[in-house]
């Protein structure tokens, strides 16, 4: 199960220490998708390190993954799908936590003002 992240992050390709700005599109326990400028040269099989921070949870991630697919996106950007070498417990907990938050957000119940008194206990 992939969850939307939409966080700004940075990527390093291989042993190069140059930080490249990316957006973390989504993440799962087995992989991550990032978006970057189309001029950035990333090849299939390249090992990258993606770093980002979730502003809501304040969790920081530094994840290594191998690029397994790419596709062109709008506005001269590229989307790269990357696979982790192994599942990460920290990423799995993060995904589950985000799923719970998303479910809570969709389970809101609105009670009309007239009915509110009927459901008030005390």
């Amino acid at each position: 199960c992939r969850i939307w992240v939409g966080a700004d992050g940075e990527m390093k390709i291989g042993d190069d220490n140059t930080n490249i700005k990316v957006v973390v599109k989504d993440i799962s326990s087995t992989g991550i998708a990032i978006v970057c400028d189309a001029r950035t040269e990333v090849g299939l099989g390249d090992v990258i390190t993606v770093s980002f921070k979730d502003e809501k949870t304040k969790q920081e991630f530094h994840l290594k993954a191998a690029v397994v697919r790419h596709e062109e996106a709008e506005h001269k950007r590229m989307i790269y799908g990357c696979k982790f070498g192994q599942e990460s417990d920290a990423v799995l907990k993060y995904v589950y936590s985000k799923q719970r938050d998303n479910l809570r957000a969709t389970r809101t119940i609105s009670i009309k003002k007239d009915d509110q008194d009927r459901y008030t206990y005390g």
Side-chain angles (χ1 to χ4, degrees), residues 15-113:
D15 294 330
D16 188 348
N17 284 327
T18 304
N19 286 324
I20 301 163
K21 291 183 184 229
V22 299
V23 172
V24 178
K25 181 177 178 247
D26 57 43
I27 193 167
S28 74
S29 63
T30 59
I32 190 167
I34 58 168
V35 181
C36 65
D37 188 286
R39 294 175 291 185
T40 303
E41 293 184 28
V42 183
L44 292 179
D46 283 352
V47 175
I48 63 168
T49 303
V50 179
S51 302
F52 72 97
K53 180 178 181 179
D54 183 295
E55 291 302 322
K56 186 176 178 183
T57 65
K58 304 298 183 205
Q59 253 182 302
E60 293 186 36
F61 292 93
H62 305 281
L63 306 166
K64 281 194 176 209
V67 177
V68 293
R69 67 174 178 78
H70 61 84
E71 65 182 78
E72 289 184 32
E74 296 176 336
H75 309 293
K76 298 181 182 178
R77 297 182 186 263
M78 292 293 289
I79 300 172
Y80 291 97
C82 309
K83 185 174 179 159
F84 300 134
Q86 63 185 36
E87 284 189 19
S88 160
D89 286 341
V91 172
L92 190 58
K93 287 178 185 175
Y94 175 72
V95 169
Y96 287 157
S97 172
K98 294 293 263 188
Q99 285 177 325
R100 280 192 303 274
D101 290 347
N102 291 342
L103 282 172
R104 272 190 216 109
T106 61
R107 289 185 183 173
T108 58
I109 299 173
S110 60
I111 299 174
K112 293 186 281 183
K113 181 69 176 150

